[in-house]
Amino acid sequence: MTPDPALTPVRRARAYAHTALTLAVLVAVLWLARRHWPVLHTGAVRLTAADRGWLLAAAAATLATWPCAALAQQGAVLRRLPPTALVAAQFAASAAGHVLPAGLGSGAVNLRYLVRAGLPLTRAATALAVKGTAGVVVRAALIAALVLALPGVLRLPRAGGGVPAALCVAALGVLLLSDTVRSRGRAVAAALHGHCVAVHARPVRAAALWGGSLAYVLLHCAALSAVAHAVGLTLGPARLALLYLAASGAAALLPTPGGLGSLDAVLAYALTTAGTPAATAASAVLGYRLLTVWLPLLPGLLVLALLVRRRTL
């Protein structure tokens, strides 16, 4: 079957729009960084004098995130995967996710790994979707529980908020009216449902899926909390976790590679609105991103190249 030539201009237009939006976000972040450079510089200097013990604890929490991601991925796959290669693939996928926007890099690496491990392409894609869905559900449940436990921490803007919400609802309604979207959505939902039933029919797999997903999120919250203690930020762990989960959820809507720039800005804003001094908030964000993104980036890319060379990917 030959591909429909009409799809090529559509895909090209989407790629152009995606690239333009990514560049717009990055330009906005650079403008904000230049405008607030004194605060960022002070935060960086403060980070150099941070408590080493808490920074080591944050680094340990960060290192534990990749085995937890591997555990969640194993839980979403019915067959047993080699544990060492699986953890290495998660480490490489995180690095790829910081190079390409909107999780495209991490998704591509994990998909290729599962296919190389012997899964059919459709089952590999479904397993990735199940893992991603579990992650979203875990984050949403944590946010709901923390909002109930800590009312008033999240301050959403009210002025003009109804117009964007109405536009989003209208766009979603138009999208759902499309027969193509409805038919594909039903097919995807049926595949996800069938795979979820098969996973939960095996309690060990279900425990790995949900336990790994929960541990992954909690370890990121712990890493941020440890960095916050290192720089003298006084917010409690639960409050920090709520601010982080809300900020990362908002930053996920912006198609920057690995949330670079978008998460930094949103998280720093969330911390300052919660009463943290700007320089301290900048130090906490810089330290957290240094440990979770910048330091593992080059080793992750090297592991990615090694896995490709060994035909694991």
Side-chain angles (χ1 to χ4, degrees), residues 74-188:
Q74 176 63 86
V77 177
L78 299 179
R79 61 175 296 179
R80 180 173 175 79
L81 300 171
T84 302
L86 180 57
V87 174
Q90 302 310 304
F91 185 52
S94 67
H98 294 134
V99 176
L100 296 176
L104 295 177
S106 58
V109 170
N110 277 314
L111 182 63
R112 185 172 177 84
Y113 168 74
L114 293 178
V115 171
R116 286 283 192 177
L119 272 70
L121 180 60
T122 54
R123 290 189 180 182
T126 304
L128 288 178
V130 168
K131 178 193 174 188
T133 302
V136 171
V137 171
V138 165
R139 286 175 176 267
L142 286 174
I143 290 176
L146 289 172
V147 166
L148 292 176
L150 301 169
V153 173
L154 295 183
R155 298 188 180 99
L156 300 178
R158 296 181 179 179
V163 176
L167 291 176
C168 291
V169 171
L172 181 60
V174 172
L175 186 64
L176 292 178
L177 288 177
S178 170
D179 293 335
T180 302
V181 171
R182 281 203 307 251
S183 61
R184 291 183 179 178
R186 284 193 295 266
V188 171

Side-chain angles (χ1 to χ4, degrees), residues 36-51 55 223-236 240 243 264-265 267-289:
H36 299 284
W37 178 250
V39 173
L40 294 175
H41 181 266
T42 304
V45 172
R46 188 187 184 102
L47 184 61
T48 60
D51 186 280
L55 290 180
L224 176 62
S225 181
V227 173
H229 277 86
V231 298
L233 198 153
T234 57
L235 293 177
L240 272 173
L243 294 173
D264 305 71
L267 182 55
Y269 174 78
L271 293 176
T272 53
T273 55
T276 303
T280 306
S283 297
V285 174
L286 288 173
Y288 169 73
R289 298 294 272 174

Side-chain angles (χ1 to χ4, degrees), residues 204-231:
V204 174
R205 288 289 186 266
L209 173 64
W210 293 104
S213 300
L214 177 61
Y216 179 83
V217 176
L218 292 180
L219 283 169
H220 271 279
C221 295
L224 176 62
S225 181
V227 173
H229 277 86
V231 298

